[in-house]
Amino acid sequence: MTRFDGETSPAFEIVEPAQWRAPVIFNSPHSGSTYPDEFLIASRIDLPTLRRSEDSFMDELIGHLSDRGFPTVRVNFPRSYVDVNREPYELDPRMFTGRLPSFANTRSMRVAGGLGTIPRVVGDGQEIYRDRILVDDALGRIETLYKPYHRALRRLINKVHQLFGTVVLVDCHSMPSVGVSRDEPRRPDIVIGDRYGTSCTPLLPDRVEETMTGLGYSIGRNKPYAGGFITEHYGNPASGLHAVQLELNRAIYMDERRRERSPRFAQVASDFGILADVLATTIPFGDLGSFQAAAE
């Protein structure tokens, strides 16, 4: 396991179930809250402000699912340090001292917004760094954290394929209850992202919506979040790999200002268990297409 922060913390954790129930993986790539000391020193903003980018406690909301027969994945380093839900080299040249490699994607919309693989800003648009950082530092984070995470995720996907013949990846995130723009309508409790129908069978988001609506949640589809790199990159329904992104409104399960679990936290975690059970028992996995194993 790759470690970071002075060799004290695993960069990510994969918990496989003792008994597998279904080919459904639950992934939390943005809930990491272990901040390296050198990152905090280099930051111009304080830790509470940095933490606004976290999908706080999402790893806990899905963590119990491994006891119910589903593999779970959690990232422990913060997305403001390295964002695994981006291409490997979405990098803003204005951030760095030194020359970026020629293959870096410096012109994506995410880079323009300051939210590349090494983010320039936190979620509310505040600049992270006092000064430019070394290109070698950025590339080192990608080599030691980003790439090992994706290699491990691909190995898990291949293992699930070997066991079941198909794979469903549920990428779990949380969103602020209020958008940056005043013109944005009230956000629903959950936004389901399937890249506008391209990352998975339509049955998957339909079943998620039916289940969570039945549990009292309001649902949106693809706006304002259609799914990031993980959903787009791993979602390939024609080859039997189905990926869907879930964005949970933070006001449902936590006090956003104090960053504390709310009284409803346990119920929301229980509802994720119900969703997992429904997917395991009602999705006809044998009909989801011929899987082609992901390359290492």
Side-chain angles (χ1 to χ4, degrees):
M1 173 67 72
T2 300
R3 292 185 174 269
F4 76 115
D5 191 26
E7 299 295 312
T8 61
S9 302
F12 54 88
E13 297 171 77
I14 295 176
V15 181
E16 297 184 9
Q19 293 185 319
W20 297 68
R21 288 190 59 198
V24 183
I25 299 167
F26 287 87
N27 180 48
S28 177
H30 282 167
S31 52
S33 59
T34 301
Y35 287 76
D37 290 340
E38 71 274 10
F39 178 48
L40 296 176
I41 292 169
S43 174
R44 61 184 294 178
I45 53 181
D46 59 17
L47 180 58
T49 305
L50 282 171
R51 296 196 67 189
R52 292 176 187 170
S53 288
E54 288 177 23
D55 291 347
S56 295
F57 312 123
M58 178 54 66
D59 53 343
E60 295 182 30
L61 289 173
I62 66 169
H64 65 102
L65 298 180
S66 57
D67 295 331
R68 304 174 76 107
F70 305 92
T72 61
V73 185
R74 62 184 287 180
V75 171
N76 291 326
F77 54 85
R79 67 177 299 192
S80 54
Y81 187 63
V82 183
D83 193 338
V84 297
N85 198 26
R86 299 291 182 261
E87 297 174 23
Y89 297 100
E90 286 188 85
L91 300 171
D92 186 342
R94 296 172 295 175
M95 291 179 58
F96 306 108
T97 298
R99 180 175 295 180
L100 291 174
S102 60
F103 50 78
N105 180 353
T106 62
R107 300 190 179 188
S108 75
M109 291 293 291
R110 292 180 289 221
V111 168
L115 297 171
T117 316
I118 309 296
R120 177 172 54 83
V121 302
V122 289
D124 58 359
Q126 294 193 57
E127 296 274 344
I128 294 174
Y129 295 97
R130 290 193 183 92
D131 303 301
R132 293 190 176 206
I133 60 177
L134 296 174
V135 164
D136 287 347
D137 180 14
L139 299 180
R141 296 183 202 179
I142 293 167
E143 289 296 325
T144 60
L145 298 174
Y146 179 101
K147 289 186 177 180
Y149 162 80
H150 280 282
R151 283 195 296 267
L153 181 58
R154 285 194 295 270
R155 284 195 295 269
L156 178 62
I157 287 170
N158 288 339
K159 181 171 184 175
V160 173
H161 159 242
Q162 291 170 4
L163 290 171
F164 294 96
T166 192
V167 181
V168 169
L169 177 63
V170 182
D171 203 39
C172 300
H173 299 257
S174 68
M175 60 184 172
S177 58
V178 179
V180 177
S181 172
R182 293 183 178 181
D183 297 330
E184 183 180 331
R186 179 189 177 277
R187 288 182 169 177
D189 298 335
I190 298 173
V191 174
I192 304 170
D194 64 356
R195 303 293 301 181
Y196 294 94
T198 63
S199 68
C200 61
T201 173
L203 179 60
L204 182 56
D206 288 349
R207 193 57 45 83
V208 172
E209 181 168 0
E210 292 166 8
T211 303
M212 302 311 283
T213 299
L215 292 171
Y217 295 84
S218 59
I219 304 295
R221 292 277 193 113
N222 289 310
K223 293 181 180 180
Y225 303 104
F229 172 78
I230 290 172
T231 310
E232 180 180 16
H233 180 71
Y234 292 102
N236 187 354
S239 63
L241 177 50
H242 303 263
V244 64
Q245 177 177 285
L246 303 185
E247 289 274 359
L248 181 63
N249 190 315
R250 291 174 191 155
I252 298 300
Y253 69 93
M254 65 179 282
D255 182 317
E256 293 179 272
R257 184 175 64 83
R258 296 181 178 178
R259 199 165 301 281
E260 297 175 350
R261 302 165 190 80
S262 71
R264 196 179 171 189
F265 187 90
Q267 182 60 57
V268 175
S270 176
D271 290 342
F272 267 89
I274 293 172
L275 174 63
D277 290 343
V278 169
L279 297 181
T281 56
T282 67
I283 298 289
F285 297 109
D287 299 335
L288 294 191
S290 175
F291 185 97
Q292 297 173 2
E296 283 290 337

